[in-house]
Amino acid sequence: MTPAGSSGGRQPVHRCTACGRHDLVPFADLGEIPVYCGVHWASREEALASPLGRMWLAYCPECGYVRNLAFDPAVLVYDTTMDTNLHHSPAFGVFSAELVKHLAGRFPLRGGTVLDVGCGQGEFLRELCHVAACRGVGYDAMYAGPTGPDPSGATFVRGHARLDADTPPFDLVTSRHWFEHLDDPYSFLVRLRELAGDRPAYGYLEVPDAGYDLATAGWEVIYPHVSYFDGYSLRRIVERAGWRMLATGRLFAGMFRYVEISVNAPPPVNGTELPGGESPGPVDRDRQLASIAGFAERHAAERERWRSTIDRLVAAGDRPVLWGAGSRGVQFLHLADPDRRLAAVVDVNPRKWGRYLPVTGHEVSDPATLAGSGTRSVIITNPAYRDEIDAALRQLGVRAELLVA
Ligand SMILES: [Zn+2]
């Protein structure tokens, strides 16, 4: 396979992080993209000056794992100014609450301890501690709330999980939308396996599904995501790190991938399995390899298609807007609207209102500002939020066509 675009410089040799059996092969050079897609700036000047980083995707022919070969952990520093919180969306809130019920029913957690690595603002862990009657320790460099014990039974640590000798013994480790950010996800799993020692332990990991991200336009191919896992490569990495895979599947309209793992523990007999359970094998790997083969071309075509779509909507006087200033939105704006031709960018998170998005400098507004604005086209980058955005538009009295990018 020929890598698309210029590969610029010598190719570093990088052994597959997931299976460890093959060197990674470059397949798509997306050039420079925003590093901080979860940060919003107080001024347009700061936003325009925010850093870029290179996205140079490579894959493993053996297991279908994908990684950014150009990732540089030194340029991406996580702190409390970042807001990657998805809990402002009702759809994500409902999904998360269902997941808490599932985990509390499936694993023996009563009186036990859950580690949540990459806990965000702690909503999920608090709820899990409450519903499962267990303790929890949450770690996140982006956690901005009070540290120390919380009435829910959760304790929060602001900073990356050190996973050292002070880490409490745990019955379940959860990590949602953090594993793909790690420079070395294999060592992370090995370390957790070591910490479990002879104790029975379970794990729940959730990542964006690479089968979705690489088979679509790729708006979720963002700098903070170092790794892209589908079911097969996720299975390979957890098993190579000494864990047993209990179940894997896709959730949230197929955009998320989960894996449940265990060590020294029997498969859980209580509760129910999550929907979409799969047993990924070489067939899944081959499907993933087919998505990878078409990705660079599809990504470039989608970028061009949306640039010309925005041109057409602006020319027709539609006052097109983007709804959703999360990481997908930031990536979409960088690729499809670098010259800020859209009439507005809106988001339901009030912390973003009046602030500016990285690199392109779009200002984020309250969706309520769309009422009476004459907008006839609303672009969204995340189909999972389609229904809630559609309902919100109707409530605002905005008669606009929803365009899913
Ligand atoms: Zn591999």
Side-chain angles (χ1 to χ4, degrees):
M1 193 185 300
T2 314
S6 133
S7 58
R10 226 173 104 247
Q11 177 196 336
V13 175
H14 201 298
R15 198 76 170 162
C16 176
T17 318
C19 71
R21 290 176 55 131
H22 206 289
D23 290 340
L24 299 181
V25 181
F27 69 95
D29 189 344
L30 306 190
E32 305 259 279
I33 61 172
V35 167
Y36 290 110
C37 48
V39 178
H40 32 93
W41 270 266
S43 74
R44 181 163 281 153
E45 290 66 38
E46 287 171 279
L48 292 172
S50 67
L52 290 156
R54 184 164 169 223
M55 179 58 79
W56 187 21
L57 294 169
Y59 77 103
C60 172
E62 164 79 22
C63 74
Y65 168 77
V66 170
R67 178 185 175 94
N68 178 12
L69 282 183
F71 179 72
D72 177 2
V75 308
L76 178 58
V77 180
Y78 291 94
D79 64 36
T80 56
T81 64
M82 296 186 182
D83 191 351
T84 55
N85 200 340
L86 300 170
H87 281 81
H88 294 284
S89 155
F92 187 80
V94 168
F95 165 68
S96 215
E98 287 294 315
L99 178 64
V100 162
K101 262 194 266 171
H102 161 79
L103 294 173
R106 183 151 158 89
F107 299 114
L109 298 180
R110 180 170 290 272
T113 300
V114 176
L115 299 186
D116 189 25
V117 182
C119 65
Q121 301 311 315
E123 294 92 342
F124 165 75
L125 184 61
R126 276 190 206 98
E127 177 116 359
L128 183 56
C129 288
H130 176 71
V131 172
C134 63
R135 288 179 303 277
V137 185
Y139 306 87
D140 204 311
M142 291 180 279
Y143 175 75
T147 53
D150 175 284
S152 65
T155 300
F156 293 100
V157 179
R158 186 175 304 138
H160 293 302
R162 296 160 66 97
L163 303 181
D164 56 13
D166 295 334
T167 305
F170 60 92
D171 302 284
L172 173 71
V173 56
T174 55
S175 191
R176 301 180 62 207
H177 303 272
W178 178 243
F179 190 60
E180 71 278 13
H181 295 237
L182 297 171
D183 193 27
D184 189 351
Y186 172 71
S187 296
F188 172 77
L189 287 176
V190 167
R191 184 65 193 133
L192 286 169
R193 170 67 191 86
E194 286 167 0
L195 287 170
D198 299 330
R199 287 171 55 90
Y202 295 96
Y204 174 88
L205 303 175
E206 188 181 297
V207 297
D209 184 58
Y212 181 91
D213 286 339
L214 299 174
T216 53
W219 309 124
E220 194 68 23
V221 176
I222 54 173
Y223 196 79
H225 292 177
V226 184
S227 295
Y228 297 82
F229 293 99
D230 73 334
Y232 188 69
S233 58
L234 198 52
R235 173 179 205 159
R236 295 292 293 263
I237 196 170
V238 300
E239 290 181 348
R240 186 163 78 97
W243 292 84
R244 173 176 176 180
M245 190 190 82
L246 298 172
T248 184
R250 285 170 299 163
L251 300 168
F252 207 62
M255 298 169 70
F256 299 165
R257 158 79 46 190
Y258 74 89
V259 62
E260 291 178 335
I261 58 179
S262 70
V263 67
N264 310 317
V269 288
N270 298 323
T272 52
E273 293 201 6
L274 287 167
E278 299 163 11
S279 181
V283 173
D284 303 271
R285 187 255 334 260
D286 292 347
R287 190 182 326 116
Q288 183 65 359
L289 292 178
S291 294
I292 288 166
F295 179 75
E297 205 178 317
R298 182 164 49 246
H299 185 80
E302 284 294 304
R303 175 198 296 220
E304 284 317 306
R305 183 166 80 84
W306 279 98
R307 285 190 184 196
S308 52
T309 299
I310 291 170
D311 280 349
R312 181 171 53 77
L313 296 172
V314 168
D318 268 17
R319 299 187 52 78
V321 306
L322 176 73
W323 186 307
S327 53
R328 299 170 73 90
V330 167
Q331 186 75 333
F332 174 84
L333 293 169
H334 173 68
L335 297 170
D337 191 36
D339 305 321
R340 297 201 302 268
R341 298 171 56 81
L342 292 173
V345 175
V346 300
D347 195 278
V348 289
N349 182 350
R351 282 179 64 187
K352 297 185 182 177
W353 298 345
R355 297 178 69 90
Y356 297 85
L357 296 176
V359 181
T360 58
H362 289 83
E363 184 179 359
V364 185
S365 311
D366 179 347
T369 59
L370 296 183
S373 67
T375 285
R376 291 201 297 269
S377 301
V378 174
I379 301 168
I380 64 172
T381 57
N382 192 331
Y385 299 139
R386 188 193 180 107
D387 290 348
E388 83 184 49
I389 293 172
D390 200 37
L393 283 170
R394 266 185 277 123
Q395 212 161 31
L396 291 169
V398 176
R399 296 166 62 88
E401 189 187 356
L402 266 192
L403 306 171
V404 182

